[in-house]
Amino acid sequence: MTRAKTPRTDAPGWVSFVGSGPGDPDLLTVRAADLIRQADVVITEDPTHAPLVRALLGLPEPDADATETAGPELVDGGFGEDGQPLTHAARAKVVVKHAKRGGTVVRLISGDPFLYASGPEEAQACAKAGIGFEIVPGVSSVTAVPAYAGIPLTTKDHREVAVVTCGEKVDWSRYADDRTLVLLSGVGLIGDIAQQLVAAGRSPQTPVAMTRVGTTTEQQTVRSTLADIAADARAARMAPPAIIVVGKVVDLRETLSWFETKPLFGWRVLVPRTKEQAPILSARLRGYGAVPEEVPTISVEPPRNPQQMDKAIRGLVEGRYEWVAFTSVNAVRAVREKFDEYGLDARAFSGLKIAAVGDKTSASLLEWGLRPDLVPSGEQSAAGLLEDWPEYDELLDPINRVFLPRADIATENLVAGLVDLGWECDDVTAYRTVRAAPPPAPTRDAIKTGKFDAVVFTSSSTVRNLVGIAGKPHPSTVIAVIGPATAKTAEEHGLRVDVLAASPSVEALTTALADFGAARRAAMVEAGQPVTKPSERKPAARRARAK
């Protein structure tokens, strides 16, 4: 349970009936997101609503031992204290009760509040109680799910559409024409519905599509005809919630299917990461249709003894160094934190030459107002940095010393290379990488038994630590790595690398994995095989390492 952000008042509250959309959290409207952020109470109706609110507000998952956290109070409006589903009237009473306590109440409703939902009844209850309210429309599954299935409800040749809530009282003879039908709550009745539509005059070969859990990465669509849809839906084990579309527009799915054909659609991808890592990697994976699961493997912490770092920062200010070489974003962050501690800013680098190991580190420096003098022209690594590093010239270089802030587990290759070029190095521990706690037992089991489709490794440390805290991924799992050094570490731990990024960046890594998934999918389609995920195949069917 979360607590309200502000104390309640004696004045009546205000209720916003907010549509949460069809399932994809990215379809939540801007207005809906703003109201949730401002709410004192959020009344939900679907199991996905509470995680959506926590994700939107950046709140952690609830701790069984915790009694209070920040954020709005979350109230389950889907079920009563007895565990039974609430009726529309009972739900309306919950809304009115919380509104009377004062403050702002958001009533989160799946889809659109006024379209096949309980919004009208609950709003009427508020009006009767003298409580102010507003309606915030949401994206309805009626239109969104067919769109995500690649099925337009209208075209220039098909301009009429009817939406029908299925049940025993529907007169299907009224829908014997060729207009498009959108059927709600029809999964269990589809056999009878199809027979009655055919009896009313529709062709048995009329195209039909049934899409379950639409707009989510679990979306599944069965394309059939009125004659065969009942059998095909049973064979595919289709279950509610699902939207059914009947009509010639279904044939356009052949060319317009865009969501279920994403290269990593439905792939469960393990993302070992540092606790502080930005969610860019997961966001890009979602864009390709994957379901990323982040597992912290490394915690970045200050050095045990800060004196060496303090001395180096003083030396930097006093002009002790000719160069400062940053080999990671974490190194930039560590030095910047020390600068803040001393009340310094980027002007202290005046007269110094700055090197960055790659584009990400360079971008981190630019955010600080520093432009690197040296970035590798080739491989973005310590080896690439050494390839471009100038030899020490006592005539051109007034100082022969390099400040190298790095992790406690960094290799000695860069230091040795700089010494060979005539430079003296202060190799300083700027931060420590500490192995994180093991993930929950279900996650460890999923890693070892092949329930993940892929694992993406962004550094050698993530390889070592994941294997250390959770064990080796199953042989059927696709292994994707950010660069040659990470690939070598993975192979040393008995992992067969399938995907190697063209350059050491999150963008290149996710693109390479998506290309792998697209090629794999195309090969299955060309061979006439059903498209399956890596977790659904045998280890013997693994592809060779991607070049």
Side-chain angles (χ1 to χ4, degrees):
M1 175 69 72
T2 55
R3 69 166 185 266
K5 295 186 296 184
T6 57
R8 301 297 188 87
T9 67
D10 294 332
W14 178 270
V15 179
S16 298
F17 291 95
V18 174
S20 68
D24 183 348
D26 287 340
L27 295 182
L28 192 71
T29 65
V30 174
R31 175 63 175 160
D34 287 343
L35 288 170
I36 290 171
R37 293 188 184 101
Q38 299 166 18
D40 298 310
V41 179
V42 176
I43 301 174
T44 65
E45 69 176 23
D46 187 273
T48 64
H49 282 170
L52 183 150
V53 171
R54 283 192 287 267
L56 181 66
L57 300 178
L59 300 175
E61 289 299 308
D63 188 332
D65 298 326
T67 56
E68 289 187 345
T69 59
E73 179 183 355
L74 293 176
V75 177
D76 184 359
F79 295 86
E81 295 180 357
D82 58 359
Q84 296 300 312
L86 293 178
T87 63
H88 288 186
R91 206 171 286 162
K93 290 180 180 179
V94 172
V95 173
V96 170
K97 180 183 74 173
H98 283 277
K100 284 184 174 180
R101 295 178 181 175
T104 57
V105 176
V106 164
R107 169 68 174 95
L108 204 55
I109 298 178
S110 298
D112 183 276
F114 271 22
L115 189 62
Y116 305 102
S118 60
E121 291 85 354
E122 296 177 32
Q124 285 178 321
C126 287
K128 184 177 180 180
I131 296 168
F133 63 88
E134 65 178 321
I135 308 300
V136 181
V139 177
S140 173
S141 60
V142 170
T143 55
V145 172
Y148 269 55
I151 301 171
L153 297 184
T154 61
T155 67
K156 63 183 180 64
D157 299 319
H158 303 89
R159 297 180 177 275
E160 290 190 58
V161 59
V163 181
V164 185
T165 301
C166 302
E168 296 178 359
K169 297 181 180 180
V170 178
D171 180 4
W172 292 104
S173 64
R174 296 171 53 198
Y175 304 103
D177 52 23
D178 64 353
R179 61 184 149 165
T180 301
L181 301 181
V182 180
L183 310 182
L184 309 179
S185 305
V187 176
L189 303 170
I190 190 59
D192 292 338
I193 292 170
Q195 287 180 0
Q196 293 185 56
L197 286 172
V198 171
R202 289 218 180 202
S203 167
Q205 299 308 309
T206 300
V208 181
M210 181 183 292
T211 303
R212 63 178 296 273
V213 288
T215 77
T216 75
T217 48
E218 296 178 12
Q219 176 175 309
Q220 178 187 5
T221 300
V222 170
R223 184 178 168 209
S224 185
T225 62
L226 284 176
D228 300 324
I229 183 59
D232 290 344
R234 281 196 302 271
R237 298 181 179 180
M238 298 295 280
I243 299 289
I244 302 167
V245 180
V246 179
K248 293 181 181 180
V249 292
V250 170
D251 287 337
L252 292 172
R253 172 176 162 81
E254 185 71 26
T255 54
L256 298 182
S257 179
W258 63 274
F259 186 56
E260 292 169 65
T261 55
K262 285 188 174 186
L264 303 177
F265 181 77
W267 282 35
R268 187 180 178 189
V269 180
L270 184 68
V271 182
R273 62 173 182 84
T274 64
K275 288 183 178 179
E276 296 78 12
Q277 188 173 354
I280 299 173
L281 178 55
S282 291
R284 286 186 61 86
L285 288 170
R286 288 190 191 95
Y288 287 118
V291 184
E293 294 187 30
E294 298 181 356
V295 175
T297 59
I298 302 172
S299 176
V300 177
E301 298 182 6
R304 296 186 188 279
N305 185 354
Q307 293 179 353
Q308 187 184 26
M309 188 68 166
D310 293 338
K311 180 180 178 181
I313 297 299
R314 287 196 298 270
L316 184 151
V317 175
E318 294 168 357
R320 176 179 171 81
Y321 301 108
E322 180 75 8
W323 282 90
V324 180
F326 292 98
T327 58
S328 70
V329 172
N330 285 327
V332 176
R333 184 183 298 117
V335 172
R336 191 168 183 175
E337 287 174 354
K338 274 295 178 184
F339 267 48
D340 291 342
E341 185 180 321
Y342 280 105
L344 300 172
D345 57 33
R347 290 174 295 182
F349 285 92
S350 178
L352 277 167
K353 296 174 184 175
I354 301 172
V357 76
D359 292 337
K360 293 299 181 184
T361 306
S362 179
S364 181
L365 287 166
L366 287 171
E367 289 176 3
W368 196 7
L370 299 172
R371 185 176 299 277
D373 300 280
L374 176 62
V375 179
S377 57
E379 179 182 314
Q380 295 191 354
S381 65
L385 198 58
L386 284 172
E387 286 289 331
D388 293 342
W389 198 286
E391 289 189 26
Y392 171 67
D393 188 322
E394 60 182 10
L395 296 178
L396 299 176
D397 300 307
I399 305 170
N400 71 338
R401 191 169 293 275
V402 178
F403 172 31
L404 193 58
R406 300 196 297 165
D408 58 334
I409 59 172
T411 63
E412 299 299 321
N413 296 350
L414 180 56
V415 174
L418 290 173
V419 170
D420 289 342
L421 291 170
W423 298 92
E424 293 185 15
C425 291
D426 282 354
D427 187 12
V428 177
T429 298
Y431 60 94
R432 292 183 299 130
T433 53
V434 180
R435 182 177 292 178
T443 302
R444 297 199 302 271
D445 177 71
I447 292 170
K448 295 175 183 178
T449 59
K451 293 177 182 176
F452 282 100
D453 298 290
V455 180
V456 288
F457 290 113
T458 56
S459 68
S460 293
S461 296
T462 56
V463 176
R464 287 190 291 266
N465 285 310
L466 180 71
V467 173
I469 66 176
K472 291 199 300 184
H474 191 271
S476 66
T477 305
V478 174
I479 305 297
V481 300
I482 201 166
T486 307
K488 181 180 178 182
T489 303
E491 290 167 347
E492 288 172 349
H493 283 77
L495 303 178
R496 184 166 145 194
V497 175
D498 297 284
V499 179
L500 178 65
S503 61
S505 70
V506 165
E507 292 79 7
L509 176 58
T510 51
T511 298
L513 181 58
D515 289 345
F516 177 92
R520 180 179 175 278
R521 188 181 196 282
M524 289 181 173
V525 171
E526 185 177 351
Q529 299 173 349
V531 177
T532 59
K533 297 180 292 186
S535 59
E536 298 170 334
R537 61 191 168 104
K538 297 179 180 179
R542 292 193 73 193
R543 288 185 173 276
R545 172 176 173 166
K547 301 298 183 183

